[in-house]
C-alpha cells in the first residue's frame, strides 16, 4: 500500500481535530472522520478500540486538562501505511506545555487511522 506524504499529514490533522473537538457531537464526528471502524488507541495509560472508546479517552483528557489544546510539534514522517509525529498539550492561558509525547499511527486503505501507539515523553508529577 502506498501513501503520499499529504495522506499522512491529512490523517494527523484529523487526529488533532479529534483531540481538540469540543462537545460530544463534534467529538464523535471528528473521531469517526479520523479513525476507521474498529480503530484503536494505545498509550501507557489506556488501550481502547472503537469510536466510542476513543472518544471517551479524548473526553477524559479534556476534562483532566481544561483550557489546553493538543498541538503538533515538528513534521510528520511516514512510509508505507505508518506515520509518526510529536505533540504537546499546551495551555491556552500561558503557553506552558506540561505534557508531550510522540505517536505512531497506521492507516487503513481509506487513509483513516487503524492504530495509534502513543508514547508519553513528558508528564507532570502527580
Amino acid at each position: 500500500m502506498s501513501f503520499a506524504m499529504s495522506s499522512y499529514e491529512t490523517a494527523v490533522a484529523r487526529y488533532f481535530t479529534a483531540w481538540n473537538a469540543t462537545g460530544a457531537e463534534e467529538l464523535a464526528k471528528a473521531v469517526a472522520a479520523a479513525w476507521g471502524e474498529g480503530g484503536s488507541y494505545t498509550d501507557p495509560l489506556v488501550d481502547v478500540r472503537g469510536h466510542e472508546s476513543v472518544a471517551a479517552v479524548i473526553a477524559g483528557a479534556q476534562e483532566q486538562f481544561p483550557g489546553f489544546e493538543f498541538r503538533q510539534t515538528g513534521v510528520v514522517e511516514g512510509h508505507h501505511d505508518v506515520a509518526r509525529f510529536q505533540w504537546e498539550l499546551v495551555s491556552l492561558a500561558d503557553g506552558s506545555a506540561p505534557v508531550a509525547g510522540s505517536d505512531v499511527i497506521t492507516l487503513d486503505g481509506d487513509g483513516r487511522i487503524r492504530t495509534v501507539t502513543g508514547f508519553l515523553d513528558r508528564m507532570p508529577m502527580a
Side-chain angles (χ1 to χ4, degrees), residues 4-15:
M5 184 52 73
S6 64
S7 297
Y8 304 120
E9 292 164 347
T10 297
V12 171
R14 288 190 304 238
Y15 175 86

Side-chain angles (χ1 to χ4, degrees), residues 38-120:
S40 67
Y41 178 86
T42 303
D43 71 18
L45 306 174
V46 300
D47 183 9
V48 298
R49 180 172 303 281
H51 291 169
E52 287 184 16
S53 296
V54 170
V57 167
I58 293 171
Q62 292 173 345
E63 288 174 19
Q64 186 176 1
F65 293 96
F68 284 76
E69 73 177 11
F70 285 88
R71 294 184 188 165
Q72 179 182 333
T73 60
V75 298
V76 177
E77 298 178 287
H79 62 81
H80 296 84
D81 63 347
V82 179
R84 70 178 179 172
F85 55 94
Q86 293 78 39
W87 53 267
E88 291 182 324
L89 183 60
V90 179
S91 168
L92 298 176
D94 65 14
S96 64
V99 182
S102 55
D103 291 350
V104 176
I105 61 173
T106 60
L107 303 178
D108 66 17
D110 294 327
R112 293 192 305 166
I113 296 169
R114 182 182 317 130
T115 65
V116 176
T117 303
F119 297 86
L120 299 173

